[in-house]
Amino acid sequence: MITGLHHINLRAPADLLATLRDFYRDVIGLEVGPRPAFGSQGYWLYAGGQPIVHLSEQGPHEPRRGPVDPAAASTFDHTAFAGTDPAAMAAHLAAKGVSFRESRSATTGQHQFFLQDPAGNGVEINFPF
């Protein structure tokens, strides 16, 4: 019944929200696009015409959302993006001062970059061999 991943949503205070927007736009290469007029500020970032990263503002007195059991550790590790031209992306990340770790998986046939966004969320970019 599930056909794919629709989007991810990152919720953060306003100052971090703008930093995340800039990162996903300027570093990852997504485009800021239309977003419905919800009751809070935010951004939708698009790839291939689809809004795949949603950023929404966390209210000043709103607790940070986490697992249902606050004592439990989160299981979230990263969000993975499909990319093209790993050499160009490596040069782009270096020019932006973003450090990343590279891996090649013969099992999956992918060249992978691993990095973190400004909030510490894991980001993976996959390129086919």
Side-chain angles (χ1 to χ4, degrees):
M1 293 175 37
I2 301 299
T3 60
L5 182 64
H6 191 270
H7 72 274
I8 63 164
N9 184 73
L10 303 176
R11 194 162 179 83
D15 57 338
L16 180 54
L17 200 67
T19 301
L20 289 168
R21 177 206 57 212
D22 294 350
F23 174 84
Y24 284 97
R25 181 192 62 206
D26 301 340
V27 174
I28 300 300
L30 303 181
E31 296 179 10
V32 176
R35 177 182 182 263
F38 295 123
S40 65
Q41 296 298 312
Y43 306 96
W44 279 11
L45 293 111
Y46 288 68
Q50 299 300 313
I52 62 168
V53 174
H54 295 183
L55 303 176
S56 57
E57 183 178 8
Q58 176 182 338
H61 301 293
E62 179 182 345
R64 183 172 181 175
R65 293 184 183 176
V68 174
D69 176 359
S74 171
T75 59
F76 178 79
D77 185 70
H78 67 272
T79 299
F81 297 95
T84 60
D85 198 345
M89 180 58 83
H92 172 72
L93 292 173
K96 294 288 185 182
V98 176
S99 61
F100 64 97
R101 181 177 57 82
E102 249 179 294
S103 176
R104 291 180 186 266
S105 172
T107 303
T108 63
Q110 295 185 40
H111 185 171
Q112 301 169 300
F113 291 180
F114 299 94
L115 52 141
Q116 289 189 321
D117 74 13
N121 298 307
V123 174
E124 177 181 321
I125 307 171
N126 292 293
F127 309 91
F129 283 155

